[in-house]
Amino acid sequence: DYTKKVLDILKAKNVKATFFIIGKNIEGNEDILKRIVKEGHIVGNHSFNHQNWFNTKLPNQIIKEIDETNQTISKVIEYNPRYFRSPFGLTSPNVANALKKTKYK
């Protein structure tokens, strides 16, 4: 509900934004994801499960979550995000290594 309200406000003010998408939340909300792109906003990757211990995972586990979210996003909008935002803004050397390997910003 909040995302739709935010999109309405952004549209009314003619402002573009970046939406970081949690993979597990896409199912059932495909129309919102399509609307985000249709209205000219950027889609970013925000992991699949959004766990508070995400930054403690090994780089290959982090890459798996990033890839799973990308695959889920691309099934809906045929788009591959290039930006990643770690859950809760947490980072670690493992997150940095995963992002370096996947060339995410």
Side-chain angles (χ1 to χ4, degrees):
D1 292 335
Y2 292 112
T3 303
K4 289 178 183 178
K5 290 176 185 177
V6 169
L7 285 166
D8 290 342
I9 292 167
L10 293 172
K11 188 173 185 176
K13 301 288 184 179
N14 196 30
V15 173
K16 303 302 178 202
T18 302
F19 287 82
F20 287 91
I21 308 299
I22 299 170
K24 70 178 184 178
N25 293 342
I26 294 172
E27 188 175 339
N29 295 299
E30 294 87 350
D31 60 325
I32 297 172
L33 183 54
K34 289 176 184 177
R35 180 178 171 193
I36 288 169
V37 172
K38 182 180 177 186
E39 294 181 7
H41 303 288
I42 295 172
V43 172
N45 187 316
H46 195 38
S47 81
F48 194 83
N49 292 302
H50 198 270
Q51 297 152 325
N52 60 0
W53 46 272
F54 180 85
N55 65 314
T56 66
K57 292 183 174 195
L58 297 173
N60 64 330
Q61 295 169 313
I62 293 168
I63 291 169
K64 183 180 176 196
E65 281 223 29
I66 290 170
D67 287 344
E68 189 174 7
T69 300
N70 273 359
Q71 290 170 15
T72 307
I73 288 170
S74 67
K75 285 180 187 175
V76 177
I77 60 171
E78 297 181 20
Y79 180 89
N80 240 347
R82 294 309 319 149
Y83 297 99
F84 177 79
R85 181 173 154 239
S86 189
F88 306 99
L90 300 173
T91 190
S92 69
N94 287 346
V95 172
N97 288 335
L99 296 180
K100 186 176 180 179
K101 287 180 183 177
T102 57
K103 299 181 181 172
Y104 266 82
K105 296 179 179 161

